Amino acid sequence: MRILLTGGTGYIGSHTAIALIDAGHEVTLFDNFSNSKPAVLDRLREITGVTMDFYEADVTDAAALDRVLNERAFDGAIHFAAPKAVGESIARPLHYYKNGVAGTVALLQAMERHDVRNVVYSSSATVYGMSDDLPLQEDAPTEVINPYGRTKLMCEEILADLHQSDPRWNVIALRYFNPVGAHPSGLIGEDPQGVPANLMPFLAQVAVGRRPSLHIFGDDYPTPDGTGVRDYIHVLDLAEGHVAAVEHLQQSPGFDVINLGTGNGVSVLELVAAFEQVAGVPIPTEVVGRRPGDGPASWADASKAARILGWTATRDLDEMVADVWRWQSHNPDGYPD
Ligand code: UD1
């Protein structure tokens, strides 16, 4: 298959490009570098031996989408391209609705014009809101409390409407839990711009000395050690989940929403301890107040992915941490400009 990856040079897109190539597929990456760097392309060539087919363009740009869809024959698309920071989405909602929602509509319209109707969508467990009905199953009620979460839920609904209107559209929306980790080569990984909003990249930057200490957002949650519990999943497991999803769409068309998680909950303190042990460096921490909008615990029921896609996560927490540490210690300042 040839698959279009919007957001293909981003953190999850780049790891998925490798997983698709490893599975024998061809990829075309489409990205505007709004949250990634061109150096990713060199690193991908080093890892795979393949020079990436790449278009530098914006997913809201209909003419650019038409160009790539004219120039290549695609079997489907995986739509990663979208901004993803909760705080920023509250400050800049229009930026989120334009790039997250209008960008998705622009991509789907272009795909329709070119008769490509298989799409895997990058959704998030954020659509479950603060639900404490654990493990989270796909049919749990959705609840979104910020513009970022709304972009994810709106796009799932747009895709459902599209499939309803024309069953030639085949869709899998993947609800990611907490992607972490990096390729074991240490050549690619997560490289957030500015202060990392998420725990693992922040922790990695503390470990490497870029930041003095980790703020733990609350230790008074109703969890075993009082800190927030999440379902961290290795980005390569996540990437392989996308391969399984695009392959599944070819054989079993339809519409589905599927969790990608491990099914295990890990607390902030457990993650810090794992990092200190694997990296062999102390992580200074300071407990501060809860972050608004955070819930106590979230982990997946991952059985639907196993049943429908034949996929389960295989990499454990130590491997996630070891791979993050290799990436961060080899690239303390992230990708070169
Ligand atoms: C966050 C977003 C979620 C988004 C996901 C991926 C919020 C409320 N949720 O998920 O919508 O899909 O990122 O971008 O922003 N923590 C600390 N110190 C830190 C950072 C985090 O203690 O410096 C804690 C949090 O309170 C939480 C856990 O670590 O308990 C994980 O946080 P994070 O990595 O930001 O992920 P989520 O909040 O689960």
Side-chain angles (χ1 to χ4, degrees), residues 84 86 124 126 148 178 197-199 214-217 228 230 232 268 291 293-294:
K84 54 144 250 178
V86 172
S124 168
T126 199
Y148 162 70
N178 291 61
N198 298 113
L199 176 60
L214 172 74
H215 287 174
I216 295 177
F217 295 148
R230 296 291 184 275
Y232 298 96
V268 175
R291 181 172 64 181
D294 275 357

Side-chain angles (χ1 to χ4, degrees), residues 199 202 206 212-218 268 283-289:
L199 176 60
F202 201 103
V206 173
S213 74
L214 172 74
H215 287 174
I216 295 177
F217 295 148
V268 175
I283 310 280
T285 60
E286 191 187 329
V287 177
V288 298

Side-chain angles (χ1 to χ4, degrees), residues 103-113 119 158-159 162 169:
T104 300
V105 173
L107 172 68
L108 296 170
Q109 287 180 314
M111 290 174 70
E112 187 159 60
R113 285 194 291 275
V119 61
I158 289 167
L159 288 160
L162 192 56
W169 276 98

